[in-house]
Amino acid sequence: MRVRRLAAWTALPLAVTLGLAACGSGGDGGSGSSDPNAAVSIQIGEPQHLVPTNTTETSGSQVLAGLFSPLVDYDAQNKPYEVAAESVTSSDNKVWTIKLKDGFTFHNGEKVTAEDYVNAWNYGAYAPNGQGGSYFFEKIAGYADLQGEKPKAQTMSGLKKVDDLTFTVTLSEPYIDFKTMLGYNAFYPLPDAAFSAPGVLKDSYEQAPIGQGPFKMKGTWQHDSKIDVERYDAYPGEKPKVKGVEFRVYQQLSAAYADVLGDNLDVLPTIPTESLSNAPTDLGDRYQVSPMSSFQFLAFPTFDKDFSNPDVRKAISMAIDRDEITKSVFKGSQEPARSFVSPVLPGYRENTAGSAAEFNPTEAKKLYQAAGGPSKIVISYNGDGGHKDWVDATANQLKANLGVEVVGSAEPKFADLLTKVEKKQPVGMFRLGWVMDYPSMEDYLGPLYSTNGSSNYYGYSNPEFDKLVKEGSAAKTQDEAIAKYQQAEDILAKDMPVIPLRFGENVYGHSSKVKNVEMDLFQRVNLVKIEAAS
Amino acid sequence: MFRYIVRRLLQMVLAFFGTTLIVYALMFAGQGDPIQALAGERPVTEAQRAYLTEKYHLDATGVGGFFYRYFDYVKSLLQGDLGQSLTGRQIGDILQAAWPVTLKLALIALAVAIIVGVTAGVVAGIRRASIFDNSTLVLTLLVLGIPTIVLAPLAQYFLGVKWQLFPPTAGSEPTFYALLLPGIVLGSLSLATALRLTRTSVAENLRADYVRTARSKGLVKRRIVTVHVLRNSLIPVITFLGVELGNLMSGAIITEGVFNIPGVGFNLFRGIRTEDGPLVVGIVSVLVVVYLVSNLVVDVLYAVLDPRIRYE
């Protein structure tokens, strides 16, 4: 699912701060007309896959966002609106009718039909295809029959074609956010040309994916090097303002950063951590910050008796000065978190963790001692993700404010950390992060805290919480759902299974050759808005 | 000579299988959960785990499992198939894309080391204790002392970003010019060593009897140095440079990362990081061949440089 590393390669530590000679590169983008015949370049990592249902990381999803057009996208309030869909409706939130807009064609000229969606989704859900995003279809009726080594069926009973441009989706249970979900890249359609036989994807498809979006492939995927796309003129939606995009693969963000400084690369969606402090001076107004959905937190193994008392967990949370760490370690590139869902969501409330997230060392110490907290705390993290600095800072704060021994312990890789946690080995507290798939409170609450949540690694279980999330999903209206979700969030504030620490932001930079560079909540550059300065 | 080369080639086959076996065993032993490593910080779905486990025989564990997977690997290797990396790409394709650029980079580095290093070494050797000799000594010590991990970003920042003499990164289809800076950075370490080696060797040979004889015969100095001294002095340097070529090809990990060159070094690094056993073994196998061939070339060059050395 969606816990991703924030800085893919928090590059090798440079013994030399490049700040030695912080030179402003001068030229700033900005006004002037734009050149519709120019191509722009955007940094990505090497995508793992370019099949919509198998793409769950940012780089691949950035490329697919150019090649495909989603059924729905999100407006400024992060509510869904139709793009490739004409309408998405349901009277009971269980049977959904999706009508497609007429006029969409795949890049090979094929007309987009309801069948293309049904086929693509069935392919994605069918377990033997091993698609990373298959769990997105688990709410659709009949999903279970496609699981296991020898599935009972090849297609989900919940998907029905009505006519060329209409199909219905029956869910196994009512889910109010289903329309919101459809903005995720797993719900893109696949053309007939993608399949060699029904349900069998061509091997070559991934090397040059055919979509129905604003850009089409120019040549094939040049592994470890680049992916070139160009404007698809028959696209009926909002036309891009550039001729093409070169997604250039970088192995290290620091190399890409040097290229942006040298105007050799146009957009760097993530400024490398070690350059954060001098990036504002280096880039001037080409250094930008925008909201993003990531959420960083410290989790407690609630099954461990050291941390089973909520008061101990609250005391630890109170002893952490979030503002100080976001300022000193992250140079303001992240925001302190005091709630359990991201501020980008409809239904977000400030400070839901209440007093537990307020920095109060004296109260914290009192509460900690009264609750009998452990005399030694370990904070585990993965050493490959650039987490050492803030974990050490947190450990020092806890040491000073609680008067106990606190050490940070690095596991080589995130996988090693997860394996230990799953085996319930003593790792102490551990860091986790979360990036949403679609803007719904349920996408934070369900997977992270419900008893059977896919990413609930801390053994947290509260039947009341589970019930509220379920009721929220099944609600009739959005308002009703949000009310339920908020009640569930209030339970988290009481139980504190995790300590909210920070909300992420897109911290990005661009060259002087582009303007209108916008990033969405999923760390993707808006490819329709970007312009080349001329 | 011919029999020698054949014997060496046969040894190479043995060495090749020996090393791949060892690397495969190390990779196998150190393997945690490659499927999770591949997915980064995302939990892997059951379906995907089952699919990958079956595809790469990851359920074959223990000693039996090791030999099962190793022989499976060797079998396809003998058919010229390096297999698939855990990301599903053909390792042959990966290497085909990565190889040329790394080779170019290594050759530039080697050329820099030979042209600058050997020339400066000869000059320093002839003029012992001169200002030139002393300043190269200081400079080489400095270069040997600064690790590539510091040198590469510094060079990139000053020469690439600040003064814009070179492009900051090279990319996958670089021009010669774009590869020059990374080549110099990569070659700087071998340059320094080659310079010191040449200098010592030249200085020593200048004192040798045959030089005195040549001088008393009235030969001009240039002829003495180029024909007599250089020829004898280059033997240790050639040994070093021959082996260094192998080093340069595999040791480009840092340089390739800093200058964004998707070559062999990077792929090796990625393979190790993601516990991608097949990819690591595939690259190492090819690197072993490079080492073996460059060693063979070095040995043959000995005979060319010094006819006294006989192989039979």
Side-chain angles (χ1 to χ4, degrees):
Chain A
M1 230 170 262
R2 340 139 219 216
V3 202
R4 297 176 188 131
R5 62 189 71 176
L6 266 192
W9 265 108
T10 322
L12 304 150
L14 297 186
V16 190
T17 48
L18 296 180
L20 275 179
C23 69
S25 322
D28 38 324
S31 55
S33 55
S34 75
D35 179 1
N37 289 318
V40 295
S41 54
I42 297 174
Q43 178 270 339
I44 55 167
E46 165 83 357
Q48 285 176 357
H49 293 286
L50 286 182
V51 175
T53 47
N54 208 5
T55 298
T56 47
E57 36 76 53
T58 322
S59 298
S61 124
Q62 169 77 73
V63 176
L64 292 182
L67 296 174
F68 288 88
S69 180
L71 285 167
V72 301
D73 205 346
Y74 310 109
D75 62 15
Q77 281 75 46
N78 289 312
K79 298 221 171 94
Y81 70 92
E82 286 80 359
V83 181
E86 180 72 45
S87 65
V88 179
T89 49
S90 173
S91 53
D92 54 1
N93 291 336
K94 191 171 177 190
V95 183
W96 292 79
T97 307
I98 300 172
K99 272 195 176 28
L100 303 173
K101 273 187 191 143
D102 207 354
F104 274 85
T105 50
F106 284 105
H107 302 149
N108 61 351
E110 249 178 69
K111 197 167 149 35
V112 181
T113 66
E115 226 161 13
D116 297 321
Y117 284 91
V118 173
N119 290 344
W121 297 6
N122 278 328
Y123 174 81
Y126 188 62
N129 292 332
Q131 299 289 291
S134 71
Y135 62 90
F136 275 96
F137 305 103
E138 69 195 1
K139 291 194 162 69
I140 299 175
Y143 173 82
D145 293 342
L146 274 62
Q147 304 311 302
E149 271 183 44
K150 292 210 170 58
K152 275 184 267 171
Q154 267 230 332
T155 53
M156 288 181 281
S157 58
L159 295 180
K160 288 259 161 19
K161 176 188 166 181
V162 177
D163 59 49
D164 261 6
L165 292 175
T166 318
F167 64 108
T168 59
V169 184
T170 309
L171 306 181
S172 39
E173 276 168 37
Y175 182 49
I176 182 148
D177 287 323
F178 184 68
K179 180 176 172 185
T180 312
M181 229 179 147
L182 293 175
Y184 192 77
N185 59 258
F187 296 97
Y188 292 146
L190 288 175
D192 287 340
F195 296 98
S196 55
V200 185
L201 197 72
K202 273 186 202 161
D203 277 345
S204 59
Y205 175 75
E206 198 170 22
Q207 304 310 318
I210 302 165
Q212 29 72 288
F215 292 94
K216 61 177 177 187
M217 288 293 288
K218 189 174 160 190
T220 54
W221 173 3
Q222 288 166 269
H223 290 273
D224 290 330
S225 165
K226 62 177 179 175
I227 298 168
D228 267 325
V229 300
E230 61 188 349
R231 193 164 53 207
Y232 176 55
D233 288 320
Y235 180 66
E238 189 183 349
K239 300 261 191 308
K241 292 163 189 68
V242 290
K243 182 129 201 308
V245 180
E246 177 194 338
F247 298 102
R248 207 183 296 163
V249 178
Y250 281 84
Q251 298 137 12
Q252 284 185 7
L253 287 178
S254 51
Y257 183 69
D259 265 354
V260 168
L261 291 184
D263 262 1
N264 215 6
L265 167 77
D266 291 328
V267 187
L268 174 60
T270 316
I271 305 266
T273 324
E274 73 271 10
S275 303
L276 277 178
S277 49
N278 46 303
T281 7
D282 284 354
L283 290 165
D285 59 0
R286 295 182 284 130
Y287 169 85
Q288 297 191 346
V289 177
S290 77
M292 203 247 286
S293 67
S294 82
F295 172 46
Q296 292 280 334
F297 55 96
L298 274 176
F300 292 103
T302 55
F303 44 82
D304 185 333
K305 69 174 185 347
D306 280 352
F307 299 110
S308 55
N309 182 348
D311 280 347
V312 172
R313 311 199 286 247
K314 272 185 203 165
I316 294 176
S317 171
M318 283 160 81
I320 298 174
D321 187 350
R322 293 164 176 72
D323 296 317
E324 167 61 27
I325 291 179
T326 37
K327 213 168 71 201
S328 62
V329 181
F330 294 96
K331 317 288 176 205
S333 65
Q334 299 199 14
E335 287 291 312
R338 295 187 172 84
S339 301
F340 295 88
V341 299
S342 162
V344 301
L345 295 173
Y348 164 80
R349 292 164 301 157
E350 273 177 33
N351 254 336
T352 49
S355 61
E358 244 166 67
F359 178 54
N360 191 341
T362 38
E363 274 302 305
K365 193 165 185 179
K366 247 189 261 167
L367 186 63
Y368 192 79
Q369 280 166 349
S375 58
K376 186 180 172 188
I377 303 176
V378 176
I379 305 177
S380 292
Y381 60 100
N382 48 311
D384 65 347
H387 298 293
K388 186 176 190 314
D389 288 349
W390 71 261
V391 169
D392 285 350
T394 310
N396 285 333
Q397 287 185 351
L398 291 179
K399 214 184 287 177
N401 299 334
L402 295 176
V404 293
E405 200 188 324
V406 188
V407 288
S409 152
E411 295 290 332
K413 279 198 294 270
F414 190 68
D416 303 320
L417 179 60
L418 281 192
T419 315
K420 281 199 171 172
V421 171
E422 273 166 0
K423 288 186 183 151
K424 294 198 165 48
Q425 285 172 352
V427 290
M429 297 161 68
F430 50 95
R431 73 141 287 263
L432 285 175
W434 187 253
V435 179
M436 70 178 187
D437 299 313
Y438 48 94
S440 153
M441 285 181 79
E442 196 271 341
D443 191 34
Y444 283 79
L445 302 174
L448 286 175
Y449 312 108
S450 51
T451 306
N452 295 318
S454 58
S455 293
N456 179 351
Y457 292 103
Y458 12 93
Y460 174 69
S461 172
N462 184 329
E464 180 65 20
F465 175 88
D466 291 354
K467 197 179 117 228
L468 283 168
V469 173
K470 219 168 171 188
E471 285 174 4
S473 305
K476 288 271 180 296
T477 66
Q478 280 292 348
D479 292 343
E480 209 180 300
I482 285 176
K484 290 285 182 191
Y485 292 148
Q486 287 177 339
Q487 284 176 36
E489 195 187 349
D490 291 338
I491 293 181
L492 293 181
K494 267 184 259 158
D495 289 351
M496 288 297 275
V498 307
I499 303 179
L501 291 178
R502 297 178 310 276
F503 294 124
E505 291 187 308
N506 290 312
V507 181
Y508 60 104
H510 60 84
S511 74
S512 56
K513 294 193 283 190
V514 288
K515 53 185 191 172
N516 281 352
V517 185
E518 282 175 25
M519 303 236 350
D520 65 12
L521 304 168
F522 310 93
Q523 276 186 294
R524 297 183 307 204
V525 179
N526 189 328
L527 301 171
V528 187
K529 289 275 185 285
I530 191 169
E531 293 179 38
S534 62
Chain B
M1 198 68 183
F2 177 73
R3 264 176 62 195
Y4 172 74
I5 294 178
V6 170
R7 207 167 65 214
R8 287 296 305 263
L9 285 173
L10 286 175
Q11 283 171 356
M12 278 166 69
V13 174
L14 261 183
F16 178 77
F17 283 106
T19 33
T20 50
L21 179 70
I22 291 170
V23 174
Y24 207 90
L26 286 175
M27 209 55 215
F28 188 87
Q31 211 163 40
D33 181 353
I35 298 177
Q36 183 60 56
L38 189 68
E41 298 196 1
R42 280 178 293 119
V44 190
T45 60
E46 278 310 309
Q48 207 178 17
R49 180 171 288 278
Y51 169 79
L52 290 173
T53 304
E54 202 206 311
K55 187 164 175 196
Y56 294 101
H57 310 301
L58 290 174
D59 46 349
T61 52
V63 180
F66 166 68
F67 281 105
Y68 173 67
R69 272 158 69 181
Y70 178 71
F71 283 119
D72 196 48
Y73 172 76
V74 170
K75 202 170 76 193
S76 42
L77 190 68
L78 291 178
Q79 291 159 358
D81 177 12
L82 282 164
Q84 273 186 350
S85 96
L86 287 189
T87 55
R89 284 177 61 199
Q90 291 294 329
I91 293 170
D93 292 348
I94 297 182
L95 281 177
Q96 213 177 359
W99 210 248
V101 60
T102 299
L103 188 68
K104 270 188 228 163
L105 184 64
L107 287 179
I108 291 178
L110 200 65
V112 170
I114 291 173
I115 295 168
V116 184
V118 174
T119 318
V122 171
V123 176
I126 294 171
R127 304 190 196 152
R128 249 169 312 149
S130 66
I131 298 175
F132 184 83
D133 188 23
N134 286 326
S135 51
T136 49
L137 174 66
V138 173
L139 274 178
T140 46
L141 284 179
L142 203 68
V143 170
L144 288 172
I146 303 180
T148 320
I149 200 162
V150 177
L151 193 65
L154 273 183
Q156 181 185 49
Y157 181 70
F158 284 107
L159 299 173
V161 176
K162 205 171 168 210
W163 299 323
Q164 309 211 339
L165 297 174
F166 295 93
T169 63
S172 56
E173 289 155 3
T175 56
F176 172 75
Y177 181 55
L179 274 181
L180 200 56
L181 184 61
I184 292 171
V185 168
L186 182 63
S188 61
L189 205 69
S190 359
L191 186 155
T193 315
L195 196 156
R196 303 307 307 158
L197 269 176
T198 319
R199 185 235 174 229
T200 316
S201 184
V202 166
E204 225 164 65
N205 279 318
L206 274 178
R207 276 189 300 235
D209 293 343
Y210 67 87
V211 174
R212 210 172 40 216
T213 314
R215 217 180 265 142
S216 58
K217 250 172 39 180
L219 280 185
V220 286
K221 193 170 179 192
R222 193 204 286 156
R223 194 168 161 77
I224 298 175
V225 172
T226 50
V227 176
H228 298 279
V229 175
L230 208 53
R231 187 168 174 158
N232 284 298
S233 310
L234 280 186
I235 292 176
V237 182
I238 293 283
T239 321
F240 166 73
L241 290 175
V243 178
E244 194 65 7
L245 180 67
N247 263 336
L248 288 176
M249 306 217 49
S250 57
I253 293 179
I254 293 164
T255 318
E256 285 184 359
V258 170
F259 292 99
N260 197 39
I261 305 167
V264 173
F266 161 68
N267 278 296
L268 184 59
F269 186 48
R270 176 172 63 185
I272 293 170
R273 182 161 55 86
T274 56
E275 296 177 10
D276 195 332
L279 180 61
V280 174
V281 181
I283 294 178
V284 171
S285 312
V286 183
L287 281 175
V288 167
V289 173
V290 172
Y291 268 98
L292 292 171
V293 171
S294 53
N295 266 324
L296 180 69
V297 172
V298 167
D299 287 351
V300 173
L301 271 182
Y302 274 174
V304 177
L305 283 171
D306 188 349
R308 284 174 305 181
I309 303 176
R310 284 278 167 261
Y311 306 101
E312 279 307 331

